[in-house]
Amino acid sequence: MKNIVKKKAMYKSIVLLFVLFCLIGQYNKVSAVKNAIVEKNLILIKDESYELTADLDYEDEMEYYWESKNPEIAEVDADTGVVKAIAKGKTTVELYVDEEIVGTCTVRVEIPSLNVKKKTVEITDTFQLTVGKTEQEVSYHSAKSSIAKVSADGVVTAVSAGSTKITATLFNKTTNTKTKYTCTVKVKNTKLIALTFDDGPSIYTPIVLDALEKNQAKATFFVVGSRITDKTKGHIKRAEELGCEIGNHTYSHINMSSSSLEKIQSEIKKTDKKVKSIIGSPTYIMRPPYGSLTEKTQKNIDKAMVFWNVDTLDWKYRNTDYVINYVLANAKDGDIVLMHDLYKSTANAVDTIIRGLQEKGFKVVTVSELAQAKGKELVSGKKYYSFKKS
Ligand SMILES: [Zn+2]
């Protein structure tokens, strides 16, 4: 009886030892697998090739070869270890020495493509370009950025009428190769107009902003610094968030023709300071109150002077229908329209004006967008009345 128990215990020990031995063997094999191929992960674009490197301390008589688990996704040359990407997917390339796997590398094959290959847009429209699903670096370039520009992260903005190609370059850090994709952008020759509002911000400015937001239009506000208060500063912030432009209209609506240069500059500076505290940047354009400006002052002010070529005389008529009819009857491509967000009658006209302009095929943009679209640069100390393409 005792002997049988002893024998059983001995068998148990032998089985345990065997299992342990197998586990250790397995462990050694796993660690060898982990270390033999230098590249553990490889991302390739379809048709790309890459030569894997093995860090093997093998003897000359050892037979070794490379093999792909799924050659339909990535092939590998048995002798050289050159991997070729065939189709989208993921597979493993293995390295064998004397029939034993001594290394593996995960190979992912991507087929990136641009989300947009051809697009027709209107001036100031934006859209996002992306190169499919990829973990690689992408850079963007526009052949003609005066027609459509592209940001570092692929946001395209239509600037002026015409056609351009935007290239997305994908850089594969492992293989050191570049793959290029192009998107053709056609910007329609849309009629453009800039609505400008002087003398605000006022309690009526939100009516103007509502109309702009509702109709996806933009405007330019030439603000008077003294009117920017705790009650009205939110209107400037909202205007900026809607993509509108903020211009300078002095601090206390002074007549620049009868003021000293010193006084004028201090007025502009004071307004800029307030604007900057709200939207983070000062103004780059200005409109002299009453359109009054001497040549000497003009040259000494560090802002583009934006006048107008369509005068609604809204301050004189104070009549909503009159303003609507006047703008719609006189609007032409490239115009700058003068209005005032200081009057309720004007603010109430804006929604109908924008809808009417859009029905006539106009896009309602800011002064800077209008200038850019017409190929004009806004230069400090220069006067602008309208922007017609030359
Ligand atoms: Zn004014």
Side-chain angles (χ1 to χ4, degrees), residues 198-199 222 224 227 249 253 287-291 338 340:
D198 290 9
D199 300 356
F222 290 97
V224 173
R227 300 211 167 118
H249 200 46
H253 210 268
R287 174 171 286 161
Y290 320 101
L338 170 63
H340 298 80

Side-chain angles (χ1 to χ4, degrees), residues 29-48:
K29 204 168 150 189
V30 168
S31 53
V33 166
K34 270 187 182 167
N35 292 320
I37 300 179
V38 173
E39 299 86 355
K40 302 298 164 226
N41 287 293
L42 190 61
I43 301 167
L44 293 176
I45 294 166
K46 187 182 174 290
D47 298 330
E48 264 187 348

Side-chain angles (χ1 to χ4, degrees), residues 33-34 36-37 39-40 92-95 101-106:
V33 166
K34 270 187 182 167
I37 300 179
E39 299 86 355
K40 302 298 164 226
T92 308
V93 168
E94 295 160 331
L95 176 61
I101 297 173
V102 296
T104 59
C105 170
T106 308

Side-chain angles (χ1 to χ4, degrees), residues 368-388:
S368 288
E369 285 170 337
L370 179 60
Q372 241 190 346
K374 300 298 179 187
K376 302 278 164 64
E377 206 182 328
L378 288 167
V379 179
S380 289
K382 286 210 165 175
K383 283 179 168 181
Y384 301 89
Y385 292 88
S386 68
F387 294 96
K388 310 283 177 185

